[in-house]
Structure formats: structure tokens, C-alpha cells
Amino acid sequence: MRNKWIVSMDDYRVASRKRLPKMISDYLEGGALDETTMLANEDRFNALMLRQRSLVDVSDMNTSTTVLGHSLALPLMVAPMGMLTIFHPGSDPAVARAAARAGSIFIHSAWAGCSLEEVAGVAPNNLWAQVAFWKDPGETASYIKRAGAVGVETLVVAGDVGSSSKRERDLHHGLSMPPRPPVADYFNAATRPGWLWRWLTGRKMTYGNYEINGRPLRMDEMNSWMASNKNPGATWEQFAKLRSEWCGNLVIKGIMDAEDAVRAVEEGADGIFVSNHGGRQFDSQPATIDVLPSIVKAVGGRAEIYLDGGIRRGHDIAKAVALGARAALAGRPFAYALATGGESAVDHAFSILHDELKGAMGFVGKTSVASLDESIFVRNTHAYAPESALV
């Protein structure tokens, strides 16, 4: 499907299914266990009703903002996503270039399929780096040193990966490392010749953010590497130590509780990602938009707050900002676009969301991001709204 016939993120989701083998599209779309949290992220956004205003001059619309002093054309960044290469060989560099053109920021995943250095080469001024506290402190220290060497000014600590949960769609497809899919999946993959051709001739699928003996970590080596390096014992002490050593901005991702948000501020966090990992790690927890107001209140302006999870429309961005987020983040929508049409489709996805944001701001009578507040919501107790939006 050509970009011009795609007008929404859901169009990209549907189109990506036609481009990807089912085992890969299920990996992209799926969540943990019953996927309750994953679905709630979107449902709770959709339940928030907006208040239309009339005869407001919205001719001078400004969607720009800043995050940690960095200017954005709109309050939207790309959430860290691992293994983008399995969707399209353009991988992280393609999404990073599109983010830079859109005036956004790309956050490079600690589980990426290509190196931080490669991404820094194409979007040096629009790049944050996610860091994991690996069991071997040397691995973590080496990565942080690499980030500093390529000019990264903001590190994003992965705080929600100490434990993991079943993703049953993946288990049904045998998506381990290396994958061991059932025979039916081989036949299904054969019906996606474009994906197969790119897989055979394009960028090699590696765990390319890390190396063994000077070469990128191969997919078949990932399980053993992770078994040796995953660190369920990471604590706030490691975060505090990193804060004392890192001179740039420090952000923590995976905060879903006001108490943890306060602790993050006390330990020196400059920014807090309200994130439940898109429902991929832990099921049966609230949607991110549900917990955002309590975290904003607890932090009290001492750190910037970003919201990740459930962003599918431009008006979702407006809702997140109105409830106290400095910016929103999206992951899956950009992966859907990448899988469908590569880099140009990611450009188009940014354009769609930006246009939708401007439309939403116009209807609620707000001409700047800074003016978005709880007054944009319908005060109607028959529709869901955060408690703070009803008083």
C-alpha cells in the first residue's frame, strides 16, 4: 500500500501485517500474558473526552516545545525499541533520520540490532541512548563511554527490565534466540517474498549494539549473552552511582508509581518516563495515562515527565501533555510504518501525527503546547477522566 492511501497509525498497523510473516507481526503487536495492560494503554486514552471550543483564533498554531533544553517541533519522541532490523533492514538509522527531519528525538535501545555509533552518525543531534545495568559492570561502563564518545548528552536508564513475563504469541511461534518456529510459520513466511528478500539480501540481523571479539553479537549468541549479563539485582544504588559519574542528563524509564517517581528525583533524575513497556513486560497493571496525574503531582516540577504507551493519534499527545507530560513517546506506530514502507513511511507517520495534533489543538482552542491543560477535557463523570480533571 502506497503512503498516500495510509492516513492513520492503524492503517500502518494493518498494512504491516501484509508485509511481515505472522510470527514477526505478532512479535510487534503482542504483549505479556493476557495483554490486558497493552490494550488498556489505548482504551484509557480513547475514553478521555475532549472539550470543543468555538470561535477561537487558532491561526497562529505552535506545536513546538523543549525537552531538557532540546527543541522539538512537536511534543513527541521515539521510544526505544529493540531489534528493529527484523521489520526492515533500514532499522534504527532509518527511524532516527526520520525523527531528526521531524524535529523529534530518537532513543536508541540497549537491545538494538545495530550499534549506537551507526545511529549517531545519521542523527547526532537528535539522539538519546538507553542504558541497561548489565551484570558485568564493565559492559555497562563500556556502553556509557561509547555514548559519551559519540556526543550523546542524555542517557535513559531501563528501569523496568529486571523481571520479565511470558509473551505467549512469541512462544506459540517459537521465537527464542535463535528462533525455532513451527513448520506452519515457514510456509507463512514464504507468502511474504518482499520481507524474505530483504532478510536474505539486506542488513544482517545481529544483536549489533554489542560485540564479541570485535564483531557484532550474532542472533544465535543472544541467549547465552543475555543469560550471562541480565541483571535482576539492579537497584537504585547503581542509578545513584551513574548519576555521580555522568555529567549529562539522566532519565529513568519504567516508572509507574508515585513513590518510585519521588525516589528517582531524590537520586538525581532529570526526567522520568511513565512507561509500562507498552504492556510487553508486566500484565495486569494500569495504563500509563491512568497513573500520570499522580506522578506529576508527586514530582512537583522537580523533573520533566514523559509518557510512553498507547499513543496512536495526535489527540493522544495533546491529552498526555494536558495531564502534565512534557512530551509523549511512541514505539509501535513507527515500527508499523518502518515495516510497511521503510524510512519514507516513518516520515509519513510523523506527518500524520503532527497534523492530527494540530487539528486537536485547534478544536480545543489551544494555540501552543504550553497552553494545553486539564481545561481541554469534558467534565463528565459518565466518561472516564482522571480524578484531577474532574475537580
Side-chain angles (χ1 to χ4, degrees):
M1 185 183 294
R2 294 174 62 186
N3 277 345
K4 71 176 183 178
W5 302 116
I6 292 180
V7 298
S8 70
M9 296 304 101
D10 194 61
D11 281 349
Y12 271 125
R13 179 182 60 83
V14 172
S16 70
R17 290 178 178 176
K18 299 176 182 178
R19 299 290 192 273
L20 298 172
K22 191 172 191 306
M23 61 180 171
I24 304 301
S25 63
D26 272 356
Y27 170 77
L28 171 54
E29 293 192 42
L33 299 177
D34 296 313
E35 301 184 343
T36 303
T37 294
M38 182 186 76
L39 297 173
N41 277 344
E42 294 184 47
D43 290 344
R44 300 302 264 177
F45 262 117
N46 291 336
L48 274 169
M49 297 291 106
L50 295 173
R51 180 184 176 207
Q52 179 177 310
R53 306 306 303 275
S54 300
L55 292 177
V56 177
D57 182 358
V58 293
S59 57
D60 187 18
M61 183 72 67
N62 183 1
T63 62
S64 66
T65 190
T66 62
V67 289
L68 298 177
H70 185 105
S71 296
L72 298 183
L74 73 166
L76 178 67
M77 300 184 285
V78 181
M81 294 176 282
M83 303 308 299
L84 286 171
T85 310
I86 67 173
F87 309 127
H88 190 280
S91 194
D92 300 64
V95 181
R97 281 190 293 262
R101 283 191 293 270
S104 181
I105 285 173
F106 176 83
I107 304 174
H108 188 251
S109 172
W111 291 263
C114 63
S115 72
L116 176 63
E117 288 81 0
E118 182 178 358
V119 180
V122 301
N125 300 315
N126 299 75
L127 176 65
W128 291 2
Q130 184 187 44
V131 59
F133 290 132
W134 301 117
K135 188 176 293 183
D136 178 1
E139 286 284 358
T140 303
S142 173
Y143 182 75
I144 293 168
K145 183 178 180 180
R146 289 166 52 200
V150 297
V152 169
E153 296 179 351
T154 301
L155 294 180
V156 178
V157 173
D160 57 351
V161 294
S163 297
S164 59
S165 187
K166 293 188 300 179
R167 292 203 284 266
E168 293 175 1
R169 295 200 208 194
D170 295 352
L171 294 175
H172 290 152
H173 290 294
L175 285 186
S176 58
M177 291 296 175
R180 295 181 176 84
V183 172
D185 277 326
Y186 285 99
F187 285 106
N188 180 263
T191 67
R192 304 293 189 271
W195 181 87
L196 276 176
W197 177 252
R198 291 191 296 270
W199 179 67
L200 291 171
T201 63
R203 176 191 297 271
K204 298 299 180 185
M205 293 189 186
T206 66
Y207 198 44
N209 213 20
Y210 299 94
E211 295 184 343
I212 292 180
N213 299 324
R215 60 166 175 77
L217 188 69
R218 295 194 304 266
M219 297 284 281
D220 61 2
E221 296 169 322
M222 183 176 173
N223 268 356
S224 59
W225 193 93
M226 284 295 294
S228 299
N229 286 282
K230 186 175 181 179
N231 184 14
T235 67
W236 286 106
E237 281 66 37
Q238 280 98 324
F239 185 88
K241 182 175 185 294
L242 176 56
R243 173 71 287 174
S244 69
E245 296 170 348
W246 175 255
C247 296
N249 300 315
L250 192 58
V251 175
I252 183 165
K253 176 181 178 288
I255 297 296
M256 287 291 292
D257 182 86
E259 187 176 333
D260 285 339
V262 171
R263 179 67 183 271
V265 172
E266 291 172 347
E267 299 293 355
D270 300 295
I272 293 170
F273 277 34
V274 178
S275 172
N276 54 27
H277 215 100
R280 293 175 70 81
Q281 288 290 96
F282 173 35
D283 202 18
S284 198
Q285 64 173 317
T288 52
I289 197 67
D290 280 346
V291 302
L292 176 63
S294 65
I295 290 174
V296 169
K297 181 179 179 180
V299 170
R302 292 173 291 168
E304 292 187 356
I305 295 175
Y306 321 114
L307 181 134
D308 169 38
I311 300 294
R312 298 295 183 271
R313 290 285 187 181
H315 57 233
D316 295 333
I317 303 169
K319 292 172 184 179
V321 172
L323 288 175
R326 187 74 180 183
L329 294 101
R332 284 188 181 95
F334 297 119
Y336 294 146
L338 179 70
T340 300
E343 190 170 330
S344 64
V346 183
D347 283 328
H348 189 226
F350 267 111
S351 178
I352 290 171
L353 289 170
H354 199 173
D355 287 345
E356 288 181 352
L357 171 62
K358 288 185 283 188
M361 289 174 61
F363 277 115
V364 298
K366 302 294 185 180
T367 58
S368 69
V369 170
S371 66
L372 289 169
D373 57 23
E374 293 179 6
S375 68
I376 72 170
F377 297 110
V378 173
R379 287 167 171 80
N380 179 358
T381 55
H382 296 292
Y384 166 75
E387 182 178 348
S388 60
L390 300 175
V391 296

